[in-house]
């Protein structure tokens, strides 16, 4: 169950929108007039069966409103495949009260954000808005969900958008892999087809079909309204009764019945050839549904096998044998069924040996050999991940909604944790025996064309290494109360940002430097150094560090940017002394093991190749070297494999000697002992103090070539990026105006989206973004579309820009954009890490701690005339650059 919350992110990437639901015990009928005391959560069932969940949380000036409906692809028949997802799109195309895009405009104009998602088992509509606008959020998503106006012309246009989204998914390895599994794991069930549907079924859906579907499934007894945030529970309940109380149920409620465990008669292997640089491999074993009593044990088993870098599969195949770039294991359980999923990415020449070794490893698996440390570590990390969902308002709302709507009720979290704590080796051994079996094994491999692999040889290899058993058993941005900025030796600084909400702390260390400390011949060296820095100290090797962190449910990593180098850690506060001690070891005495350097090179090359398998990854890897002709902005951020492969341990040592002597900023956010942190920071600053190498802060030179086309054969879509050079981050006033302009252009109610997607249906994703370094920046327009529509997309970009340059925007458009900036800031700075990272990064680059808030304040006074002048000055087609990826 806890793993389900983690898996949402994975499935969102592969399917576009995947959650799950199931029938849960209903709360007792409670009259709306019943006083709701305390913060809750309060769960009330209206007379018509609609459930209302309210949780007061005053940490942030925000409210998160969600409406869940028991409908999704699992409620469709084969001819309807994709109708739930298409309906989710159409609710944004207008209601009986609002025109196309007006709902998003209302929410974004208030400084909020909205979206929707369709899964196998439910659809959810959600907004996050300033607390004063919670009723606006509630009314808006209710109007969208219940009163969508399905205009035939809008439907025809949106079908093209969905088909574009479908094509986009086919270009992504993870999505292709998962959809290939569905027919193998869920054949004969409503989980068999993709949530997005098929080209032919989506194309045939009519206005009447959608209205019939809504009438049948959008019943109050099948809905949950959830409101979490700085709200009055009694007012929310009263509003819910006013909005929903008059609804009546017109059909019988449909229960989500679990599917029987599929008899795969495996091992079954499918190969999907394509123009891939890497092999993407998945192995799955059917599991019971999410409400099974066995779920905690299955998730614990998956965590020990492949949950993190201390897991058995990672240690064996990634770290020790170096057969794979990535490997993990997850128990993915949904309302009607699930599967245990082992995924890996590797090179073609390693497939056969890895495949045989994986089969042998699974065949020899004996949970009786799991150590006490392994089990305690896995349980702690599962429990910690569940707790950390409460860090943000959105995470808390998602968790509460999950448990109430499809996870067995709000008490299910406690039940899960007790079951997890009680799970031991004997139970894990039984679960492994029952579910990890070769005859229940289904595998899919995305392979390069002409790979020479065959399904027969792979299946035979499993049978040889892993004979089937004779018989099997049946089946959480509040301002800190107090913040301090302290000077340290050598020009370094310490920032303390107390937040008592959770017993966690997030530490962020930032130095000026990164790519700015190396020349073009050493591209990729800072990224390598960041990887290897955390892999060895004088007291601990990489394996001991991984165990040390996992035993404390802690995370620690380093990263290199174009102008900064950073180290971050997040950990339960009770382990602060341990983590600070480890950090001191790493930063003052890294050992740079040769083995870890070799592995880091392999990983860095693999990341590059994986990115180049995806059109957007290829686009953004190449955009900076295309735009800039000098300095660190012109580098390939991860370098080039043929270049960084020659770097040695001595190169890393020399780089770190330059980097570590730069004055740093250490920011700590959360619960901590302030006096202890001050002592630690002062000691660290003295240890690292020295003569620092000058950081390259020169203004970069822009490239002379203004157009570049990249090719990625075998893909469906083309991807277009139009870039306009702008001033850098140092210019606060211009930056504030450009930020407002970006907000006016982007988002579901933005100018680009409304024209190119809503009106013309050119692509699933249409947006604008603003990138700013201290001395340079750019505004970019992006769209993914059909190759033969590139010219139409360009014309659409031109049309929007010319309108901006011709006349001032309406005042309401500017107000919407200002509110978006403010809303985005609060939404993006809820986590401890985001607040600490912002503080460290700003001070390390020479900005004031409140620089971003000043930008937002400055943006509030930007006028429509100023935006027009900015568009005339900076959205200049004569200076624009174009990069595209074409099939």
């Amino acid at each position: 169950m806890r793993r389900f919350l983690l898996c949402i992110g994975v499935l969102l990437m592969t399917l576009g929108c995947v959650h799950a639901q199931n029938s849960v015990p209903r709360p007792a009928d409670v009259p709306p007039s019943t006083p709701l005391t305390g913060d809750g959560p309060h769960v009330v069932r209206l007379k018509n069966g609609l459930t209302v969940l309210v949780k007061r949380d005053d940490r942030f000036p925000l409210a998160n409103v969600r409406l869940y409906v028991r409908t999704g692809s699992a409620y469709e028949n084969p001819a309807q495949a994709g109708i739930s997802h298409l309906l989710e799109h159409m609710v944004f195309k207008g209601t009986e009260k609002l025109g196309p895009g007006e709902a998003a405009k209302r929410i974004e104009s208030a400084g909020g954000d909205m979206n929707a998602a369709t899964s196998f088992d439910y659809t959810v509509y959600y907004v996050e808005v300033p607390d004063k606008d919670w009723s606006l959020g509630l009314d808006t998503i209710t109007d969208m969900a219940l009163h969508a106006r399905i205009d035939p012309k809008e439907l025809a246009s949106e079908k093209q958008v969905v088909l574009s989204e479908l094509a986009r998914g086919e270009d992504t390895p993870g999505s292709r892999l998962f959809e290939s599994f569905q027919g193998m794991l869920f054949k004969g069930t409503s989980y068999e087809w993709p949530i997005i549907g098929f080209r032919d079924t989506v194309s045939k859906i009519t206005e009447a079909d959608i209205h019939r579907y809504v009438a049948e499934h959008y019943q109050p007894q099948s809905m949950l309204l959830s409101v979490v945030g700085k709200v009055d529970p009694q007012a929310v309940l009263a509003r819910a009764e006013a909005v929903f109380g008059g609804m009546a149920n017109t059909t019988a409620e449909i229960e989500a019945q679990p599917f029987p465990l599929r008899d795969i008669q495996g091992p079954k292997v499918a190969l999907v050839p394509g123009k891939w640089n890497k092999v993407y491999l998945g192995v799955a074993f059917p599991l019971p549904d999410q409400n099974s009593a066995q779920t905690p044990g299955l998730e614990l088993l998956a965590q020990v096998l492949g949950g993190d870098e201390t897991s058995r599969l990672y240690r064996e195949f990634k770290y020790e044998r170096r057969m794979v770039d990535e490997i993990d294991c997850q128990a993915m359980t949904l309302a009607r069924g699930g599967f245990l999923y082992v995924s890996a990415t590797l090179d073609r020449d390693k497939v056969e040996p890895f495949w045989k070794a994986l089969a042998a490893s699974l065949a020899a698996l004996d949970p009786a050999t799991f150590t006490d440390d392994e089990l305690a570590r896995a349980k702690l990390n599962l429990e910690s991940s569940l707790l950390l969902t409460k860090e943000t308002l959105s995470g808390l709302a998602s968790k509460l909604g999950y448990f109430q709507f499809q996870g067995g009720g709000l008490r299910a979290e406690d039940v899960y944790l007790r079951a997890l704590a009680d799970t031991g080796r004997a139970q894990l051994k039984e679960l492994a025996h029952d579910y990890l079996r070769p005859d229940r094994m289904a595998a899919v491999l995305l392979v390069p064309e002409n790979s020479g692999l065959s399904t027969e040889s792979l299946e035979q290899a499993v049978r040889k290494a892993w004979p089937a058993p004779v018989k099997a058993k049946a089946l959480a941005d509040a301002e800190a109360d107090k913040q301090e900025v302290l000077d340290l030796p050598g020009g370094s600084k310490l920032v303390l940002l107390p937040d008592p909400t959770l017993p966690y702390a997030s530490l962020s260390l930032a130095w000026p430097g990164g790519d700015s400390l190396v020349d073009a011949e050493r591209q990729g060296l800072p990224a390598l150094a960041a990887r290897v820095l955390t892999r060895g100290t004088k007291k601990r090797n990489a394996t001991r560090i991984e165990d040390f962190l996992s035993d404390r449910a802690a995370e620690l990593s380093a990263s290199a940017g174009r102008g900064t180098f950073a180290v971050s850690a997040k950990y339960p506060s009770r382990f602060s002394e341990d983590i600070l001690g480890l950090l001191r070891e790493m930063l003052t005495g890294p050992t740079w093991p040769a083995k870890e350097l070799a592995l880091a090179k392999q990983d860095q090359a693999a990341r590059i190749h994986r990115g180049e398998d995806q059109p957007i990854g290829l686009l953004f890897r190449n955009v900076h070297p295309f735009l800039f002709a000098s300095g660190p902005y012109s580098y390939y951020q991860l370098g080039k494999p043929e270049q960084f492969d020659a770097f040695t341990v001595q190169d890393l040592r020399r780089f770190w000697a330059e980097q570590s002597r730069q004055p740093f900023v250490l920011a700590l956010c959360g619960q901590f002992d302030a006096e202890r942190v001050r002592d630690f920071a002062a000691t660290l600053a003295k240890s690292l103090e020295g003569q620092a190498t000058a950081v390259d802060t020169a203004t970069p030179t822009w490239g002379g070539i203004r157009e570049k086309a990249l090719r990625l054969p075998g893909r469906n879509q083309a991807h277009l990026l139009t870039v306009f050079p702008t001033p850098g981050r140092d210019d606060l006033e211009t930056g504030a105006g450009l930020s407002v302009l970006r907000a006016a252009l982007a988002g579901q109610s933005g100018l680009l989206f409304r024209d190119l997607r809503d009106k013309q249906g050119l692509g699933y994703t249409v947006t604008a973004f603003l990138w700013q370094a201290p001395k340079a920046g750019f505004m970019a327009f992006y769209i993914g579309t059909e190759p033969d529509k590139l010219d139409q997309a360009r014309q659409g970009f031109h049309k929007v820009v010319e309108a901006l340059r011709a006349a001032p925007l309406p005042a309401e458009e500017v107000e919407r954009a200002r509110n978006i900036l403010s809303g985005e800031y609060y939404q993006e700075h809820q986590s401890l890490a985001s607040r600490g990272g912002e503080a460290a990064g700003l001070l390390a680059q020479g900005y004031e701690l409140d620089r971003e808030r000043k930008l937002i304040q400055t943006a509030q006074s930007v006028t429509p005339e100023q935006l027009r002048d900015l568009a005339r000055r900076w959205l200049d087609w004569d200076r624009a650059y174009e990069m595209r990826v074409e099939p």
Side-chain angles (χ1 to χ4, degrees):
M1 189 173 294
R2 201 290 320 166
R3 287 286 288 182
F4 172 78
L5 293 172
L6 175 64
C7 293
I8 286 176
V10 177
L11 293 175
L12 278 171
M13 290 187 291
T14 59
L15 297 178
C17 39
V18 175
H19 304 259
Q21 68 97 49
N22 203 354
S23 177
V24 303
R26 294 287 193 178
D29 290 331
V30 178
S33 59
T34 300
L36 302 183
T37 60
D39 292 339
H42 306 284
V43 179
V44 178
R45 188 186 183 197
L46 304 185
K47 291 182 178 179
N48 59 11
L50 183 138
T51 302
V52 182
L53 186 158
V54 192
K55 172 72 174 78
R56 185 182 182 99
D57 187 320
D58 292 346
R59 290 178 294 162
F60 313 107
L62 299 168
N64 191 288
V65 185
R66 295 170 181 251
L67 180 65
Y68 295 83
V69 186
R70 295 188 195 283
T71 181
S73 62
Y75 291 86
E76 303 165 352
N77 61 49
Q80 293 175 316
I83 192 171
S84 301
H85 177 259
L86 181 58
L87 170 58
E88 175 226 308
H89 275 243
M90 287 304 300
V91 301
F92 290 89
K93 305 300 288 187
T95 70
E96 295 169 7
K97 298 178 181 178
L98 301 172
E102 288 185 13
K105 184 177 181 180
R106 287 174 64 179
I107 296 301
E108 291 180 350
S109 295
D113 180 58
M114 73 182 307
N115 217 321
T118 304
S119 77
F120 291 109
D121 298 292
Y122 74 85
T123 299
V124 58
Y125 305 93
Y126 54 95
V127 298
E128 190 159 282
V129 291
D131 55 324
K132 64 182 177 63
D133 293 312
W134 67 264
S135 59
L136 173 68
L138 190 158
D139 292 348
T140 302
I141 61 171
T142 302
D143 185 43
M144 292 168 63
L146 303 181
H147 305 291
R149 177 169 49 84
I150 313 300
D151 180 85
K153 292 182 179 179
E154 294 288 355
L155 178 60
S157 174
E158 201 62 20
K159 284 182 185 179
Q160 295 305 309
V161 171
V162 171
L163 295 177
S164 176
E165 183 184 357
L166 191 154
R168 182 190 187 94
E170 292 175 346
D171 287 347
T172 305
S175 180
R176 287 285 295 277
L177 198 62
F178 188 89
E179 290 183 6
S180 299
F181 267 120
Q182 288 182 257
M184 301 174 74
L185 295 172
F186 300 114
K187 188 173 180 63
T189 76
S190 53
Y191 279 176
E192 182 177 357
W193 51 83
I195 292 168
I196 199 170
F198 302 105
R199 287 180 172 84
D200 58 340
T201 58
V202 171
S203 298
K204 294 176 182 177
I205 295 172
T206 67
E207 175 189 4
D209 293 332
I210 295 178
H211 282 304
R212 280 193 298 269
Y213 191 75
V214 171
E216 180 180 359
H217 294 286
Y218 278 59
Q219 305 287 320
Q221 63 194 0
S222 301
M223 296 181 185
L224 169 69
L225 174 69
S226 169
V227 182
V228 178
K230 196 173 182 180
V231 297
D232 176 0
Q234 201 70 49
V236 172
L237 182 57
R239 186 60 187 161
E241 172 67 19
V243 173
F244 294 99
M247 291 180 64
N249 298 297
T250 58
T251 62
E253 185 172 9
I254 302 174
E255 297 288 342
Q257 297 297 326
F259 299 134
L261 212 63
R262 177 165 168 71
D263 183 8
I264 293 178
Q265 299 182 344
K268 295 291 185 183
V269 179
L271 300 178
V272 182
K275 296 187 180 298
W276 315 108
N277 292 316
K278 292 283 184 175
V279 173
Y280 302 87
L281 176 153
V283 179
F285 304 86
L287 296 180
D289 64 279
Q290 64 193 21
N291 286 328
S292 166
Q294 296 177 316
T295 295
L298 290 166
E299 293 181 350
L300 180 58
L301 178 63
Q303 180 73 16
V304 175
L305 283 176
D308 58 25
E309 294 185 358
T310 71
S311 64
R312 293 203 164 193
L313 294 178
Y314 183 93
R315 285 278 170 85
E316 179 179 359
F317 295 111
K318 166 68 173 178
Y319 187 68
E320 294 171 1
R321 304 178 71 169
R322 300 190 184 185
M323 288 183 166
V324 300
D325 302 331
E326 295 179 340
I327 187 167
D328 69 7
C329 179
Q330 300 180 32
M332 297 185 178
T333 51
L334 308 175
R336 306 162 193 245
F339 54 96
L340 189 140
Y341 185 50
V342 179
S343 62
T345 306
L346 64 162
D347 292 324
R348 162 62 189 91
D349 60 357
K350 295 179 180 177
V351 171
E352 286 97 342
F354 167 72
W355 183 257
K356 295 175 183 177
L358 177 63
S361 182
L362 293 175
L365 176 67
D366 182 3
T369 66
F370 291 173
T371 68
D372 290 343
D373 286 345
E374 282 182 296
L375 291 177
R377 179 189 307 141
K379 291 178 181 180
L380 177 61
N381 279 275
L382 288 171
E383 178 184 358
S384 180
S385 295
L386 184 56
L387 176 63
L388 282 175
T389 59
K390 303 175 184 179
E391 184 177 17
T392 66
L393 202 64
S394 179
L396 175 61
S398 177
K399 183 178 77 70
L400 292 175
Y402 162 71
F403 280 116
Q404 179 58 40
F405 198 59
Q406 68 268 359
L410 296 181
R411 294 185 60 192
E413 179 178 2
D414 293 333
V415 174
Y416 171 86
L417 291 174
R418 286 197 298 271
L420 181 66
D422 292 341
T423 301
R425 296 179 185 85
Q427 184 180 356
L428 293 177
K429 187 169 184 174
E430 186 176 353
L431 292 172
H433 177 269
D434 289 348
Y435 297 109
L436 286 185
R437 296 169 26 171
D439 57 323
R440 289 182 173 169
M441 173 180 172
V444 177
L445 290 81
L446 305 187
V447 299
E449 294 174 341
N450 304 315
S451 67
L453 295 170
S454 71
T455 57
E456 294 80 6
S457 63
L458 294 173
E459 290 173 356
Q460 185 58 36
V462 175
R463 295 188 186 99
K464 184 176 180 181
W466 192 10
V470 176
K471 53 182 175 177
K473 185 178 179 178
L475 306 180
D477 172 2
E479 288 293 330
D481 295 331
K482 179 182 178 183
Q483 68 179 33
E484 288 185 83
V485 180
L486 304 173
D487 292 329
L488 299 171
S492 294
K493 293 183 181 296
L494 170 65
V495 185
L496 300 179
L497 303 167
D499 186 330
T501 306
L502 297 174
Y504 271 79
S506 178
L507 182 151
S508 300
L509 265 164
W511 293 259
D515 289 351
S516 299
L517 284 178
V518 300
D519 56 26
E521 296 304 313
R522 295 190 292 164
Q523 294 180 54
L525 179 60
L528 277 178
R531 169 70 176 174
V532 184
L533 175 65
T534 62
R535 304 295 291 174
T537 73
K538 294 176 181 177
K539 295 181 180 180
R540 298 176 176 91
N541 61 17
T543 301
R544 290 186 61 194
I545 291 172
E546 291 166 355
D547 291 346
F548 182 89
L549 292 169
S550 192
D551 287 344
R552 291 154 180 80
E555 303 169 6
L556 190 151
S557 62
S559 61
R562 299 185 183 277
T564 58
F565 190 95
V567 174
S568 61
K570 190 170 185 177
Y571 49 89
S573 300
R574 65 184 185 270
F575 297 124
S576 293
E577 193 67 26
D578 294 344
I579 303 303
L580 294 180
L582 176 61
L583 273 169
R584 183 186 297 108
E585 287 180 29
M586 284 184 174
L587 300 177
T588 61
T591 54
W592 311 106
K595 176 182 178 181
E596 299 301 330
L597 174 57
L599 185 58
K601 290 177 181 179
Q602 180 180 323
D603 286 346
Q604 199 149 305
R607 283 180 60 191
I608 292 170
H609 293 316
R610 289 196 304 271
E612 291 176 344
D613 269 343
Q614 302 184 52
I616 296 178
L618 181 65
L619 187 72
F620 285 98
R621 170 163 167 75
N622 286 274
V623 68
H624 275 83
F626 165 59
L627 293 176
F628 297 105
S630 69
Y633 301 155
S634 70
Y635 298 168
Y636 287 93
Q637 222 282 301
L638 293 178
K640 304 175 184 177
E642 65 273 14
Q643 193 171 355
F644 63 66
D645 192 53
F647 294 149
T648 66
V649 167
Q650 286 304 114
D651 292 318
L652 297 183
R653 292 184 188 278
R654 282 191 290 268
F655 171 76
W656 184 241
E658 299 173 43
Q659 181 62 79
S660 62
R661 294 190 184 112
Q662 300 292 327
F664 65 77
V665 178
L666 190 160
L668 200 63
C669 187
Q671 289 189 14
F672 50 82
D673 181 336
E675 192 61 37
R676 177 68 188 91
V677 174
R678 293 187 193 102
D679 291 342
F680 167 79
T683 301
L684 181 64
K686 290 178 182 178
S687 300
L688 298 178
E689 189 176 3
Q691 186 63 42
T693 303
V695 174
D696 181 4
T697 58
T699 302
T701 303
W702 288 83
I705 299 174
R706 299 191 180 275
E707 182 179 350
K708 185 172 184 176
L710 303 172
R711 304 291 177 185
L712 196 57
R715 304 306 194 267
N716 293 297
Q717 285 196 315
H719 300 259
L720 177 66
L721 192 71
T722 298
V723 178
F724 302 93
T726 69
R729 203 175 188 184
D730 288 349
D731 189 337
L732 178 67
E733 290 191 4
T734 300
L738 290 171
S739 295
V740 174
L741 191 57
R742 188 277 307 167
L745 288 161
Q748 295 180 49
S749 59
L751 302 175
L752 288 173
F753 195 99
R754 277 147 48 189
D755 189 354
L756 277 74
R757 173 169 166 166
D758 282 349
K759 292 182 180 178
Q760 301 186 55
L762 290 179
Y764 177 67
T765 301
V766 186
T767 193
F769 60 90
L770 179 65
W771 176 88
Q772 286 187 306
K775 302 297 182 183
F778 59 78
M779 179 87 75
F781 297 176
Y782 164 80
I783 187 171
T785 188
E786 304 302 318
D788 60 355
K789 295 180 179 178
L790 277 175
D791 284 339
Q792 187 179 348
R794 289 190 189 94
Q795 293 169 10
F797 286 171
H798 273 272
K799 177 183 175 183
V800 171
V801 169
E802 292 313 309
L804 287 170
R805 292 164 61 95
L809 283 170
E812 63 179 24
E813 291 281 359
V814 180
E815 181 65 18
R816 178 190 72 87
R818 293 177 187 143
N819 288 339
I820 286 173
L821 285 183
S822 179
E824 285 175 343
Y825 183 82
Y826 280 113
Q827 292 171 43
E828 294 171 4
H829 291 80
Q830 296 181 57
S831 71
L832 302 178
S834 64
R835 284 175 271 160
E838 179 193 52
L842 285 171
L843 292 184
Q845 295 180 77
Y847 298 111
E848 296 177 350
L849 200 58
D850 62 350
R851 195 265 181 192
E852 294 305 308
R853 286 190 288 273
K854 283 184 176 179
L855 184 142
I856 293 171
Q857 292 169 1
T858 304
Q860 303 311 304
S861 62
V862 172
T863 66
E865 290 75 19
Q866 287 173 319
L867 290 182
R868 178 201 59 200
D869 295 342
L870 283 170
R872 291 175 176 177
R873 175 69 179 86
W874 299 112
L875 301 187
D876 182 357
W877 288 105
D878 292 335
R879 299 176 62 237
Y881 293 76
E882 179 184 296
M883 174 173 273
R884 60 187 182 274
V885 176
E886 300 176 351

